[in-house]
Amino acid sequence: MISYLKGIAIQIQTPANNRAILVLEVNQVGYELQVPQHMLTEVVQNSEIQVFTHQQVREDAISLYGFSSAAERDLFRQLISVSGVGASLAIALLDKLGIADTVSAIVTSNIQRLSTAPGVGKKTAERLALELRSKLGQWRIAAGLTAELPLTSLEPTMQAEVEMTLLALGYTTADIHHALQAISQDSLMVKSPNIEDWLRLAIASIE
């Protein structure tokens, strides 16, 4: 399995049939990667970049997918593990919502938001929320985030949703503890029922 590639962005192809292609030259070998469309605006041609990859091997083809971060690549892998969700659909979802909003919609079972991505119907959105929310919950337990934090005014279910989202975005247990403890000092913020507000502030406090 190829974890990442570092090389020169030789060619950036305009999306055709919802496919964005990046040709990356590494040690005189050109790798063709299908990437989310947002990467086309981030990559400068002929510049050196690092791309996190996922390789898919089938009987009739070997495909390579590229992402700007390990967290985005790992979320892509989680998405395609769900029955009925292929690579193109997963990339469309990431392009439409981005990493944070995709994870947040899954964690909060926001079927309507997931369904805004091209090709994602209600049933697929429901499967994504059901299967991946369960996996993220198990991941949270394995990370040791079951102990109560000193956030007396924060509803436990919401705290769990914030923690699962931050974990899926690649933040460490220590980062999450630090962020939530910092936010808990804000009396107005602790009373906020909006998970997106919590996520924005948590990410800002970590970075």
Side-chain angles (χ1 to χ4, degrees), residues 1-2 53-57 62-65 77:
M1 182 70 70
I2 302 173
T53 59
H54 173 77
Q55 187 176 16
Q56 190 174 76
V57 180
I62 298 176
S63 302
L64 202 57
Y65 299 91
R77 287 175 173 171

Side-chain angles (χ1 to χ4, degrees), residues 58-107:
R58 294 182 175 176
E59 291 183 1
D60 58 344
I62 298 176
S63 302
L64 202 57
Y65 299 91
F67 305 91
S68 55
S69 69
E72 187 176 38
R73 187 268 315 278
D74 293 346
L75 178 55
F76 169 83
R77 287 175 173 171
Q78 292 290 340
L79 293 172
I80 62 174
S81 73
V82 175
S83 176
V85 178
S88 295
L89 194 63
I91 287 179
L93 189 58
L94 290 171
D95 259 327
K96 176 66 177 180
L97 301 183
I99 309 176
D101 283 353
T102 298
V103 176
S104 178
I106 289 169
V107 167

Side-chain angles (χ1 to χ4, degrees), residues 196-207:
E196 293 182 356
D197 289 342
W198 272 86
L199 289 172
R200 279 195 294 269
L201 208 55
I203 292 171
S205 69
I206 293 171
E207 297 178 348

Side-chain angles (χ1 to χ4, degrees), residues 15 31 33 43 56 61 63 66 74 85 90 118 126 134-135 141 148 160 163 171-172 175 189-190 192 203:
Y31 292 88
L33 303 99
V43 175
Q56 190 174 76
S63 302
D74 293 346
V85 178
E126 288 173 344
S134 176
K135 288 183 180 180
I141 293 172
E148 292 186 5
E163 290 169 351
Y171 295 107
T172 66
D175 287 337
M189 190 62 208
V190 169
S192 173
I203 292 171

Side-chain angles (χ1 to χ4, degrees), residues 175-192:
D175 287 337
I176 295 168
H177 274 281
H178 173 76
L180 294 184
Q181 287 173 341
I183 298 171
S184 69
Q185 305 305 311
D186 187 332
S187 59
L188 293 177
M189 190 62 208
V190 169
K191 296 177 182 178
S192 173

Side-chain angles (χ1 to χ4, degrees), residues 34 78 108 131 141 154 188:
Q34 184 175 344
Q78 292 290 340
T108 58
E131 294 185 27
I141 293 172
L154 182 61
L188 293 177

